[in-house]
Amino acid sequence: MIEPLLDISGLSRTFGGGKRWFGLDRPGVHAVQEVDLQVMRGETLGIVGESGCGKSTLARMLVGLDTPTKGRIFYEGNDLQAMIRDDRRALSRHIQYVFQDPLSSLNPRLRIRDILAAPLRHLRGLHGHALETRLAELLEIVNLRPEFITRYPHEFSGGQAQRIGIARALAAEPKVLVLDEPVSALDVSIQAQVLKLLKRLKSEFDLTYLFISHDLSVVETISDRIAVMYFGRIIEQAPARQLFQSPAHHYTRLLIASAPIPGGPPIVAESSDAELPDPLAPPSGCAFAPRCPQAQEACRARRPLLEAFSSQSKLDTSNIHRVACLFPAREPLSRDSRTSVDETSR
Amino acid sequence: MMAFIRLLARNRLAAFGALMLLLLLLLALVTPLLPLLDPNITDPANRLQPLFSEGHWLGTDQLGRDILSRLLWGMRISLAVGIAASLVAALLGSLIGILAGYFGGRTDNTLMRGIDMLMAFPYILLALAIVAVLGPGLMNALYAIAIVNIPFFARNIRGATVGIAHREFIDAARLSGKGNTRILATEILPNVLPVIVITLSTTVGWMILETAGLSFLGLGAQPPQADLGSMLGEGRRMMINAPHVATLPGLVIFILVMSINLLGDGVRDALDPRLKSGALSRPAPMTRIRRHESSGAAPQKSRDTALLRVDDLRTDFEVGRQRYHAVNGVSFTIQPNECLGLVGESGSGKSVTALSLLGLVASPPGIINGGDIHLHSRHQPSRDLLSLKPREIRHIRGNDVAYVFQDPLSTLHPLIKVGDQLVEAIRQHQPLSHPAARELAVKLLGQVRIPNPEQRASQYPHELSGGMRQRVGIAMALANDPELIIADEPTTALDVTVQAQILSLIQHLREEKGTSVLFITHDFGVVSQVCDRVAVMYAGRIVEIGPTQEILDNPRHPYTQRLIDCVPRLGEPDHEPAAIPGLPPPANALPAGCAFAERCDLAEPRCREGNIELIATDKERQVRCIKPLGLTAKISEGIEHD
């Protein structure tokens, strides 16, 4: 069996909480709850979910910007927390992060040279001539002109600033890139440029991507596998094509049905009283049950576990379609209406 | 730096203060070189000489010492002590503030509670107590004043640091391998430095006054050495028979502190980013209009059924000497009950177009430089919106035409309950009593399908979810039964499942009430869901307009084609989004000809010449391109010569 590059088990992060005076429990918000996830070397794992589902918290824990409350992360078999304790920089040499907002992740008072030189100097120990050569190389890798190096961040467009963010992450020569909504702040035409760049870089430098986004169509184009998060948990996980062909969880189906496609069929909206669960008072059973059209009594009583759903590929554990639902949908998603529209548009 | 000096020089009072201070500093610097009498030599025979006496221009004091010489030497000491104390206070206070703000938690608590304790004493008492412990003397007075002023710096700098410490670039620096010390020195400090300078410039004057105060009480400079404060203190006893002995040092203190304060205020105004962005300049009630001539030709009433007709609208932003053409000759119509989509990337001018319709572009710097906007409401004759007075425009806003904005959290008032905000919107245009308006408000909340509207009406915006807030925004737009709703990216900030709900709500309301909608978005998926017709904007112009389905199926403009192609499509993982190379042209330097030519792979030399008009290709479609896609060359030639 292939060893996963990143092995996450039972990972939880609670904000707030703890005890108040007189021993009263203070309610905590469970941003991430008992997440198990394997990331294989060289793959792109997409993580999809709506705002507040815990996907960014998960991402921040992977690079050490946040500390798990419970559970462990193993990178190449080493405990991540232990790595951080020993040498923070060692972790940053292996796993890097690309931020959502390209401009606010660049210090407005530093030149691009200083921003890009920091990881080279502190993580790679480069100085003098070697540093200059590498700086020029980095700019070339992300298709930016060499004279940009003396400019300040506000002189760049969103797409250019995001390339600088990507160059900064690559400067550390990492193996894993955690991309937290890297294209959501960009215009569609620029978004396509950056996605293309990311695809090229991945094959050029043998990278492993963890691609986090709320946009299903973006995740679909770039991911090999996709995990869907809802309310802090992974509720479905499958190879990308399989997930979109036959989504098993009703939440995944809702997400797909809600996404408007140019020239596509009319989207389906839930009834208006469907509200997100209260993070301070989580429902006892399945968190999606209050919104789920297929929910039954059992769904509200006990929480379903993430279990193998289809069993076609038992050999490769990473490719198993898993779903956390007591009554998963088994029939493939009907795409009749969609395909017919596509054909007329060609 | 040059910009800073220019800004400062433009502020006349600050420039005056700077000049005065420069003069005084220069005087203080050259004092040892001037042919002055020794300030400490007593000459009892010549005591209390008046002004302009022989050998003593400003007279002598009670011990016969030359006042001019003593003033200049005293000013040197006062300035030195005041500035030194400020620097010490700035250094220590900023250090405490940065550490507290950056580390937060327990560090913050310990440091700031200490600062609070320091602030709990009246400052002069504290200074007196410190001097009492350390003993009188100029250096001890300096320490006392520095310590008393540490809290001002600590609190200001902490506030600035807290705002920066949680920004993403700090996380990014950490991931770049920088430690805490490096982050503080290279990431935080450059960002809080302006705040430190502002605080410093506004406290130096105050510190000089405090030094003088302590010396006046005899706790600062000790005889025979004198600073301005101790001279004032000594002269006080001779106030009746030799008033100049006390008045002169008082006057010098006044001039010194005033010049420093004037300069300090100027520095603050020049450095504060809020003042720079023009936050203090009050925008006009409606956008400034500078039309050279109105076309005057009101559309023929018989044939024209359009609710809104926009002709050749031009809106510019004038910043300094630069002129940014945001909207560059936009024309379109909206029929009753029609939904027109306005699609484009950021900076294409779609939002400015929408805001221009009711003169909502902030002025300055916005200005409408031409065009006609005719609104033909149900019970009114056609009106040219650009020739109306602010009062008349106000009557149309929210009544005939209503807006729904992107971010409901920033458009709803955070301190007023949503029901009351709705009541206000209703009563602005309808003569209803408060209870009647309230009833209508609850009904509106029900119409936008907010569950439990009665209870939700008495909640504050922050108590509602993003989707609910946008529903309130829509309810407010519906309050006065408008004929046109302008929705500016109303679902962009929402999750897809919530977006689906809002889009279906807008569709439903349109069917039920017959409202027209101008729907602004960057998302072709959304357009294809709700819009009957769509106009694609690029660089402030409409490059293509026509029925939605036809444009999506057979785009005529290369930009439309490429924009559609770069959208990844759900369910088609093999559809490779094709990027458009390059960037749109800057709005202050638009090229001749087609603005897209630079990025278009079909461009030829004549694309970059003259003015390319919007031409009709089909019955309902128009495109701004000399060789539209999907038409044979012959047909497009024919159209051109039409």
Side-chain angles (χ1 to χ4, degrees), chain B residues 69 117 163 171 183 194-195 219 262 326 430 514 591 616 624:
Chain B
S69 161
M117 267 158 37
D171 283 340
I183 290 179
V195 185
L219 300 170
L262 286 178
Q430 294 177 45
R624 195 185 291 277

Side-chain angles (χ1 to χ4, degrees), chain A residues 50-51 60 89 96 104 107 109 122 168 187 189 193 220 241 260-261 263 265 267 271-272 291 342 346, chain B residues 168-169 171-172 175-177 182 187 190-191 345-346 449 495 497 499 501 528-529 570-572 574 580:
Chain A
E50 298 185 280
S51 51
R60 289 170 61 85
R89 291 180 182 176
Q96 272 292 338
S104 75
N107 189 336
R109 293 194 180 261
H122 305 306
R168 170 174 56 196
D187 273 319
S189 72
Q193 287 176 7
E220 189 190 23
R241 279 177 196 241
I261 304 167
I267 51 175
S271 65
S272 59
R291 291 169 75 182
D342 285 343
R346 293 278 151 78
Chain B
E168 281 182 343
F169 64 78
D171 283 340
L175 292 177
S176 298
R182 270 217 180 79
E187 305 275 339
N191 282 291
E345 299 182 86
S346 50
R449 308 209 201 140
D495 281 321
T497 54
Q499 165 171 291
Q501 292 176 332
S528 107
Q529 288 294 323
L570 197 61
E572 292 176 52
D574 299 320
I580 309 178

Side-chain angles (χ1 to χ4, degrees), chain A residues 9 13 49 52 58 63 98 112 121 131 206 218 231 267 304 307 322 338:
Chain A
S9 67
R13 177 72 172 99
L58 176 65
V63 289
V98 174
I112 302 311
R121 214 171 264 148
L131 183 91
D206 284 326
V218 169
F231 206 57
I267 51 175
E307 281 163 344
R322 296 167 200 267
R338 246 162 225 187

Side-chain angles (χ1 to χ4, degrees), chain B residues 12 43 48 163 187 194 264 311 387 389 408-409 453 490 512 573:
Chain B
R12 292 232 184 104
D43 182 6
L48 295 179
E187 305 275 339
D311 281 310
S387 57
K389 295 190 185 68
L409 193 57
E512 198 172 78

Side-chain angles (χ1 to χ4, degrees), chain A residues 160-308:
Chain A
Q160 290 170 332
Q162 193 57 291
R163 279 155 204 253
I164 294 166
I166 293 170
R168 170 174 56 196
L170 289 178
E173 296 168 41
K175 296 211 175 72
V176 183
L177 221 50
V178 178
L179 302 138
D180 188 2
E181 305 255 14
V183 297
S184 335
L186 308 176
D187 273 319
V188 274
S189 72
I190 310 298
Q191 184 174 317
Q193 287 176 7
V194 173
L195 284 175
K196 212 167 171 180
L197 174 73
L198 286 173
K199 280 186 187 169
R200 199 195 82 211
L201 294 174
K202 185 177 174 233
S203 60
E204 221 172 295
F205 299 103
D206 284 326
L207 296 167
T208 302
Y209 282 171
L210 218 86
F211 192 100
I212 293 164
S213 177
H214 69 279
D215 189 335
L216 287 170
S217 51
V218 169
V219 169
E220 189 190 23
T221 61
I222 200 160
S223 309
D224 304 315
R225 263 188 330 129
I226 295 176
V228 184
M229 283 186 80
Y230 184 73
F231 206 57
R233 291 175 199 274
I234 291 177
I235 51 111
E236 185 163 9
Q237 188 185 327
R241 279 177 196 241
Q242 199 172 352
L243 186 88
F244 285 102
Q245 269 157 22
S246 52
H249 200 285
H250 300 288
Y251 175 63
T252 315
R253 295 202 156 214
L254 173 68
L255 275 183
I256 295 175
S258 304
I261 304 167
I267 51 175
V268 183
E270 304 173 80
S271 65
S272 59
D273 48 0
E275 270 286 274
L276 280 169
D278 181 0
L280 285 172
S284 55
C286 170
F288 187 61
R291 291 169 75 182
C292 184
Q294 310 291 327
Q296 302 183 19
E297 267 320 299
C299 297
R300 297 191 179 85
R302 102 188 137 87
R303 186 162 40 75
L305 299 171
L306 190 65
E307 281 163 344

Side-chain angles (χ1 to χ4, degrees), chain A residues 15 54-68 73 80 84 88 91 97 99 178 180 212, chain B residues 166-168 171-172 174-175:
Chain A
F15 293 108
K55 53 191 193 302
S56 285
T57 311
L58 176 65
R60 289 170 61 85
M61 287 193 278
L62 290 176
V63 289
L65 286 176
D66 207 340
T67 317
I73 306 170
L80 206 74
I84 293 172
R88 241 203 108 77
L91 174 66
Y97 196 87
F99 292 84
V178 178
D180 188 2
I212 293 164
Chain B
H166 297 288
R167 297 272 295 278
E168 281 182 343
D171 283 340
R174 205 165 283 147
L175 292 177

Side-chain angles (χ1 to χ4, degrees), chain B residues 150-170:
Chain B
I150 283 175
F152 292 110
F153 285 93
R155 289 163 68 103
N156 268 335
I157 308 305
R158 176 186 171 270
T161 310
V162 165
I164 292 161
H166 297 288
R167 297 272 295 278
E168 281 182 343
F169 64 78
I170 301 295

Side-chain angles (χ1 to χ4, degrees), chain B residues 177-218:
Chain B
K178 286 188 176 180
N180 282 334
T181 322
R182 270 217 180 79
I183 290 179
L184 282 172
T186 61
E187 305 275 339
I188 303 253
L189 189 63
N191 282 291
V192 296
L193 206 56
V195 185
I196 298 179
V197 173
I198 290 170
T199 318
L200 195 60
S201 68
T202 46
T203 43
V204 173
W206 183 238
M207 300 228 203
I208 290 176
L209 272 185
E210 284 176 10
T211 322
L214 283 183
S215 292
F216 179 84
L217 296 173

